[in-house]
Amino acid sequence: MLAPSIQQTSRVDHLLIAKMVAHGSRVLDVGCGDGALLQLLADTKDVDGRGIEVSRERVNACVARGLSVVQGDADRDLFDYPDDAFDYAILSLTIQATHQPKAVLEQLLRIGRNAIVSFPNFGHWQVRGRLLLTGRMPVTENLPEAWYVSPNAHLCTIKDFADLCKVVDARVEQAVAFNAWGRQLGTWLPLTVHNMMGEKAVFMLTRRGPA
Amino acid sequence: MTTAPSLDITASADTRVLEATTPSSAYLDVPASKPLRLDSQRQLASYRIAYQTYGTLNGAKSNAILVAHALTGDQYVASRHPVTNKPGWWETMVGPGKPIDTDRFFVICPNVLGGCMGSTGPASINPETGKPWGLDFPVITIGDMVEAQVPLIDHLGIDQLFCVIGGSMGGMQTLAWAARHGDRVATAVPVATAAWHSSQNIAFHEVGRQAVMADPNWCGGRYLELGKEPRNGLAVARMAAHITYLSEEALHRKFGRNLQEISAKSFSFNADFQVESYLRHQGSTFVDRFDANSYLYITRAIDYFDLAAEHGDVLANAFKGTKTRFCVVSFTSDWLYPTRESREIVHALNAVAANVSFVEVESDKGHDAFLLDEPELFATIRGFLNAAATKRGLKAAGKG
């Protein structure tokens, strides 16, 4: 897995995740980058936070600022953690860069009582437009790299991700999409509209318990 | 005393022998009422732990950091060495305003059990015979070293150490402290170390020990009584070991194939190459300050270290339920304790959902990097300690 380098100028997804997370809970942020979300959660929610990050420079920067972060890889290093080790296992704009998104999502649901996943929506109208009009892999503000240098190996649409949730038997507790201006789309809108207008999406999931 | 120096012994060795029996640092004599039961099932009736402290212990006794030294280190972590007159071995890390800030923290550095700078070891006097212990000294382990330090922490009135930190064998002590006395260790920083000593590393140690024991002046370990010194054997052991502390890149950068103060090869076995001269120098300065039998005992203790084997072959069991916050550090070019061995520690800690940070520092200086000027290492240790100290309510240096 390469370090995803999606533009993270807009932190609306972080603010939403901070709203979802309960005060004082245990959080694992997989692909925590420079630690901005962990810092936000520590500052506003007093969480017991841990991070995993693939880039050594970013890990060292996180630890130097006092965050508990290990150098590691979502595809390889989630297996170590025991079941229910965290209240929330967060994968923020990282799942599209993993080798095995399904296995990673299953691991998140195993080690976290809740899994929070955010990802860029490949069903966004701009993406569809570029592909339709130019006949080439879309390069947008949200997905700024050409296909041959992009770390994103498994891009998906909101509908695709909702399908994966069914495959891994996860219950969608909350699903939110943001448009290109960082505005949250009304939850009353049908899924098809979210899939067209949402540039990023945030899903909060739980395991379906045994019936 | 039977350790009276004879003419065979150099002047610095004279100071060294004196330091082993009458240390110039502080020391604690643990009385026979508190004997040390060793992992070998033998018992040390009474023993001495020599130590140095730096900084001030606060009123709550909550700001103490124990620095555990490596194989050939000692308690002089941040002050002049009484034998060599050289600065402390980790002055870049420990001191006022340094990452381990003695304006904020109270630093304790004990000489390990088995050492030769005043703590009880093979160069100390065996009270039963009045002669140096030599090979009658019991074989000790890393766990024994830690257990011997516990009375010192008790003596200083410290319930819980804010941090235990150390590199190499110091990292092993750090892990053993956390595994054996987790409730007394708030944070642990094992640097450039492993949870068990690899086969390759045991092999290198064995070469060193055989070099010592092959020196006729070793005299079956009784050289101190006989007024002799296995200088050549110990120097060779140090030369071989020193190579393992470096990296091929670092050696090449420092020396290449350069010749030493000559313009052409001498076609002899003199130290033509700079790297040879450097190693010989490392060997000869080492024997001035270190006891050969201590070298045997301490390398053995490291060989025996296997934290997983002590816990049913599952390393995670060593840390079950731990509340200690860990920061594991490795170096990219360290082939003695490579990053994958640090990763094993991290995996075990993750398996028990411990609070762990793990940093791999990019350096081409090999294992020795932990002792050298590595800004990334300093930033990591400083950030980790300060964040943990603030969480613990320790006031920042220079405030109030």
Side-chain angles (χ1 to χ4, degrees), chain A residues 50 56 60 68-69 71 80, chain B residues 343 355 358 360 362 376:
Chain A
R50 316 284 164 76
R56 204 182 54 230
N60 297 9
S68 293
V69 175
Q71 200 273 330
D80 297 328
Chain B
R343 222 178 261 288
N355 190 329
F358 166 51
E360 184 189 25
E362 169 134 44
E376 226 178 319

Side-chain angles (χ1 to χ4, degrees), chain B residues 220-395:
Chain B
R222 294 174 58 227
Y223 53 89
L224 282 175
E225 297 176 49
L226 301 169
K228 295 194 172 175
E229 268 204 291
R231 287 182 68 85
N232 293 338
L234 185 59
V236 170
R238 174 64 167 180
M239 288 167 75
H242 199 82
I243 301 168
T244 70
Y245 305 151
L246 306 173
S247 68
E248 189 184 3
E249 250 179 303
L251 278 174
H252 180 75
R253 179 162 36 76
K254 221 167 164 177
F255 309 109
R257 289 183 50 84
N258 298 340
L259 300 177
Q260 177 76 13
E261 287 170 0
I262 48 171
S263 50
K265 298 180 195 86
S266 71
F267 293 94
S268 74
F269 295 105
N270 296 334
D272 280 8
F273 292 101
Q274 282 181 5
V275 64
E276 294 175 295
S277 162
Y278 168 79
L279 278 182
R280 289 186 187 188
H281 174 75
Q282 290 295 328
S284 71
T285 53
F286 179 63
V287 298
D288 287 341
R289 67 173 178 89
F290 214 82
D291 177 66
N293 283 338
S294 266
Y295 194 80
L296 304 184
Y297 277 88
I298 298 176
T299 54
R300 201 59 176 153
I302 298 173
D303 291 352
Y304 278 167
F305 187 64
D306 185 345
L307 207 47
E310 287 173 35
H311 294 87
D313 285 329
V314 181
L315 183 57
N317 288 347
F319 304 112
K320 223 170 215 172
T322 185
K323 297 266 192 293
T324 305
R325 195 174 160 183
F326 289 83
C327 180
V328 179
V329 182
S330 71
F331 296 89
T332 49
S333 56
D334 184 349
W335 56 278
L336 196 61
Y337 297 104
T339 289
R340 66 165 184 278
E341 297 186 359
S342 283
R343 222 178 261 288
E344 300 266 9
I345 299 168
V346 174
H347 285 187
L349 289 167
N350 281 340
V352 295
N355 190 329
V356 54
S357 294
F358 166 51
V359 165
E360 184 189 25
V361 174
E362 169 134 44
S363 165
D364 69 355
K365 294 180 190 136
H367 181 61
D368 251 0
F370 86 91
L371 295 167
L372 302 174
D373 181 27
E374 291 286 354
E376 226 178 319
L377 169 71
F378 299 149
T380 297
I381 303 289
R382 190 188 292 276
F384 175 79
L385 287 180
N386 283 341
T390 303
K391 222 168 206 172
R392 193 173 168 86
L394 300 179
K395 65 176 196 290

Side-chain angles (χ1 to χ4, degrees), chain B residues 137-213:
Chain B
F137 192 71
V139 169
I140 49 158
T141 65
I142 300 291
D144 294 332
M145 292 177 185
V146 166
E147 294 310 323
Q149 290 163 7
V150 171
L152 174 62
I153 303 312
D154 293 338
H155 168 74
L156 296 168
I158 296 160
D159 284 334
Q160 191 193 45
L161 292 160
F162 164 60
C163 180
V164 179
I165 180 171
S168 199
M169 183 185 84
M172 292 178 170
Q173 292 170 73
T174 302
L175 293 171
W177 258 105
R180 286 168 174 248
H181 302 284
D183 52 333
R184 300 192 72 173
V185 181
T187 67
V189 186
V191 179
T193 194
W196 50 81
H197 208 51
S198 70
S199 174
Q200 178 175 256
N201 290 356
I202 294 170
F204 279 118
H205 276 175
E206 176 60 3
V207 169
R209 284 190 295 263
Q210 288 300 329
V212 169
M213 294 191 278

Side-chain angles (χ1 to χ4, degrees), chain A residues 43-101:
Chain A
D43 293 345
T44 61
K45 290 297 181 88
D46 195 28
V47 301
D48 178 6
R50 316 284 164 76
I52 299 181
E53 168 58 37
V54 72
S55 144
R56 204 182 54 230
E57 289 79 22
R58 291 185 202 159
V59 171
N60 297 9
C62 283
V63 176
R65 66 196 265 196
L67 300 168
S68 293
V69 175
V70 300
Q71 200 273 330
D73 186 310
D75 281 299
R76 193 185 60 200
D77 293 317
L78 296 180
F79 297 94
D80 297 328
Y81 294 91
D83 298 353
D84 290 329
F86 298 95
D87 298 311
Y88 302 90
I90 299 171
L91 193 63
S92 169
L93 299 179
T94 299
I95 194 165
Q96 78 285 350
T98 63
H99 287 306
Q100 307 266 2

